[in-house]
Amino acid sequence: MIPRQTPPSTGGLIRSAHRKSTIVLLSAPTLGIVFVYLGSKPFYFRHLASSFVLGGNKELTAGLFTFASAFVLLGLIPALIVKFVFREPLSAYGVRSGDLSFGWKAFAVVAPVMVLLSFSASRMPEFLAQYPLNRAAGDGPLPFVGHAIAYLVFYAGWEFGFRGFVQCGLRDEMGDWNAILVQTLASSILHIGKPLGETLGAVLGGLVWGVIAFRSRSLLVPLLTHWVLGLSLDLFIVCR
């Protein structure tokens, strides 16, 4: 866990932590709900596909729309709240390299597990029906590379939103472990509607990535290993 300094006084800090946690607990579910209802592929196909298409490819546009929505709603808006409402540096929320010595060891352990899980999932019909989110990813090597870059943007928003904004924003008032539990709850709920194995796995993933984020003092390893999980799943599926 990240070492924390003993506060010099109590009254002002307690009031500040309470205000911050209130904002986090109100804004995080609101932004998550907006993402699910207004930033998803179904919303695009229902309301935007007739008027907004990139390169004449609706599947590509739907995928990129979802990725961009996640980045803005889960990542960018919380980052603006941190900077201009909390008036804190993004580095306090994991946007830094952190403890690279621990981080790369954690990556070396977690990333292969993610690939194995993805390989297993890629053989299941429920995952084949759901992924890739960008169906144009299987159109060739170059489209898949573009998909990989765009997917990293998606995960950057996701990781900052949950392991950064929610988890780091709640730790002063709730403590490290409870902050991890709350962000795990929030991120897992957003998986409802996905395959059952993925939704249950999101609970374990939230715990593991939350611990790694605090221990490494960075979102880098959760971001990269989460990206490896999603991207390797898509790669196995399109290769099939």
Side-chain angles (χ1 to χ4, degrees):
M1 301 300 177
I2 304 175
R4 293 188 292 169
Q5 297 179 348
T6 302
S9 61
T10 57
L13 179 61
I14 291 174
R15 287 192 294 272
S16 176
H18 180 72
R19 169 180 170 271
K20 182 165 67 174
S21 64
T22 299
I23 293 173
V24 169
L25 290 171
L26 285 174
S27 59
T30 301
L31 292 168
I33 290 169
V34 172
F35 169 66
V36 170
Y37 281 89
L38 305 181
S40 62
K41 288 179 64 175
F43 178 85
Y44 168 80
F45 282 115
R46 283 196 304 267
H47 302 287
L48 300 175
S50 61
S51 58
F52 174 57
V53 182
L54 297 174
N57 191 325
K58 291 183 179 181
E59 287 291 347
L60 170 65
T61 310
L64 295 181
F65 173 77
T66 303
F67 298 164
S69 297
F71 180 78
V72 171
L73 293 168
L74 304 180
L76 181 59
I77 293 178
L80 293 174
I81 293 174
V82 169
K83 290 291 290 184
F84 298 106
V85 179
F86 300 160
R87 297 186 180 278
E88 295 179 322
L90 295 180
S91 59
Y93 289 74
V95 184
R96 55 182 172 181
S97 58
D99 184 349
L100 289 176
S101 176
F102 170 82
W104 291 121
K105 293 174 184 176
F107 179 85
V109 172
V110 176
V113 176
M114 298 296 102
V115 174
L116 290 174
L117 291 173
S118 292
F119 179 75
S120 177
S122 70
R123 305 168 68 85
M124 301 178 183
E126 58 268 33
F127 284 90
L128 293 171
Q130 187 83 227
Y131 295 101
L133 291 176
N134 170 18
R135 292 291 183 177
D139 290 347
L142 285 179
F144 191 85
V145 171
H147 167 70
I149 296 171
Y151 217 4
L152 185 60
V153 172
F154 169 88
Y155 283 118
W158 186 280
E159 287 303 319
F160 184 82
F162 294 109
R163 259 65 77 174
F165 182 64
V166 174
Q167 182 168 299
C168 295
L170 296 178
R171 73 180 311 194
D172 285 339
E173 186 165 3
M174 293 188 172
D176 287 1
W177 186 241
N178 285 334
I180 291 173
L181 292 177
V182 172
Q183 68 80 8
T184 299
L185 170 66
S187 60
S188 298
I189 286 177
L190 256 66
H191 283 78
I192 292 176
K194 300 288 187 179
L196 176 60
E198 179 181 351
T199 306
L200 291 175
V203 178
L204 179 59
L207 297 174
V208 171
W209 284 317
V211 170
I212 291 175
F214 273 165
R215 173 59 183 82
S216 65
R217 304 191 298 276
S218 171
L219 299 177
L220 183 59
V221 174
L223 168 61
L224 292 179
T225 51
H226 205 167
W227 181 58
V228 166
L229 174 65
L231 192 63
S232 60
L233 173 63
D234 289 351
L235 180 61
F236 288 134
I237 289 175
V238 300
C239 286
R240 288 172 63 87

